Amino acid sequence: GPRREGEPCREREPLGNRFLLDGRVNNPCQPNDVAVADRAGSTVNEQCGTYGTGRDMLASKARPQIQHVLDPLGERLARSRVSPDAVTIVGTIGVVGGALGFFTRGVFFAGAVVITLFAVSDLIDGLIARARGISSPWGAFLDSTSDRVGDGAIFGSLIIWYAGDGDSLPLCVAALICLTAGSIISYVKARAEGLGFHCDVGFAERGERLLVVLVAAGLYGLGVPYLLPAALWFLAAATVLTVAQRIVHVHRQYLGRGQGAAGRAARPPVEPPAATRVH
């Protein structure tokens, strides 16, 4: 993800808007929408000069390579009449359908493949929009909302499986923790940035969570034992840890502003800058 350690970037000289990997335009020195901030990748780090220690995880590092592969496809689709919104919606339907159609029946390898293919639309919609060079806050809103729907379908399907034919109450609980804590992670970030804090921290951001669960599910479906159960318990712990990290991070900023108990209700909310996906 973006800025993770060091002084807040907004104290530095802004370097202007820049297109991100998923096609949105981001001012790297200001807080941003949850969908943009969670997937901004190393672009913001490079511009702000604040690199995280141990938090630039695999999914973030892989984004430039993935973008390089998908750029020609995005440019080709941009010359067609394909709408970025349509790509987002179709991708979300595909993720939901793949999860409900396969994971609920314990067909994990095929499910992981289908979900991964449709999840690529999370990059393609932005690439199309970037190639066309127009921006819209609606695109970022739609993309962020679609992410929450897809995440809910994936972990919800695992809950259904383990509550039924999977016959494992502990793993049903683990998947439920992943689903609930994952939603709280996004909410904490959005709420914090709505109040003028930055919240770009956390051990397990969305990209990492999807990577772990889809790889584990795929290999488990191929016969690797214990991998998916282990991944679910790992993600359950990691998501709860990430929620705690973000709450502590925001609280430290609050204390750093020198606000005592008398000033708790005095500070008005600060409207975060509009996040836009090139659209």
Side-chain angles (χ1 to χ4, degrees), residues 24 47 56 71 83 96 111 145 211 224 237:
R24 298 173 183 80
Q47 288 182 288
D56 293 317
D71 263 338
S83 164
V96 172
T145 303
L211 179 67
V224 180

Side-chain angles (χ1 to χ4, degrees), residues 7-270:
E7 62 184 302
C9 180
R10 57 174 172 258
E11 296 176 1
R12 296 175 176 265
E13 180 70 20
L15 297 180
N17 291 342
R18 177 171 176 174
F19 290 113
L20 303 180
L21 168 60
D22 58 359
R24 298 173 183 80
V25 179
N26 180 40
N27 184 330
C29 296
Q30 292 177 337
N32 211 332
D33 176 85
V34 59
V36 178
D38 270 349
R39 296 194 302 280
S42 59
T43 300
V44 175
N45 285 333
E46 293 168 0
Q47 288 182 288
C48 298
T50 52
Y51 289 85
T53 56
R55 292 189 189 144
D56 293 317
M57 298 179 69
L58 180 59
S60 297
K61 293 180 179 179
R63 289 182 185 117
Q65 288 74 23
I66 297 173
Q67 179 186 9
H68 180 72
V69 172
L70 294 179
D71 263 338
L73 176 60
E75 293 173 359
R76 185 171 301 176
L77 291 174
R79 292 192 292 269
S80 69
R81 295 185 178 181
V82 175
S83 164
D85 286 352
V87 174
T88 300
I89 293 170
V90 169
T92 302
I93 293 173
V95 169
V96 172
L100 295 177
F102 292 100
F103 280 7
T104 56
R105 299 186 293 115
V107 184
F108 293 114
F109 177 72
V113 171
V114 170
I115 291 170
T116 300
L117 290 176
F118 279 102
V120 172
S121 67
D122 191 43
L123 299 178
I124 293 178
D125 58 1
L127 292 173
I128 295 173
R130 182 179 64 179
R132 291 179 180 172
I134 52 177
S135 62
S136 167
W138 164 252
F141 170 81
L142 178 64
D143 192 74
S144 179
T145 303
S146 299
D147 288 346
R148 307 288 81 74
V149 173
D151 294 352
I154 292 170
F155 288 103
S157 296
L158 292 174
I159 292 171
I160 293 172
W161 164 250
Y162 284 115
D165 293 340
D167 193 24
S168 176
L169 181 59
L171 291 177
C172 180
V173 171
L176 179 61
I177 293 173
C178 292
L179 174 61
T180 305
S183 298
I184 295 173
I185 287 173
S186 299
Y187 173 78
V188 169
K189 183 182 184 70
R191 181 59 175 156
E193 293 181 347
L195 294 171
F197 300 102
H198 63 82
C199 195
D200 301 331
V201 299
F203 176 72
E205 296 185 347
R206 181 177 184 267
E208 286 74 37
R209 297 196 303 271
L210 286 183
L211 179 67
V212 170
V213 72
L214 291 178
V215 170
L219 293 178
Y220 187 72
L222 290 176
V224 180
Y226 310 115
L227 188 59
L228 182 57
L232 285 175
W233 282 116
F234 169 77
L235 287 176
T239 50
V240 171
L241 172 62
T242 302
V243 170
Q245 285 178 313
R246 291 191 168 183
I247 292 173
V248 170
H249 183 70
V250 172
H251 187 247
R252 286 176 176 171
Q253 293 175 72
Y254 171 78
L255 295 178
R257 289 178 175 178
Q259 297 184 22
R264 289 180 185 271
R267 188 178 184 88
V270 178

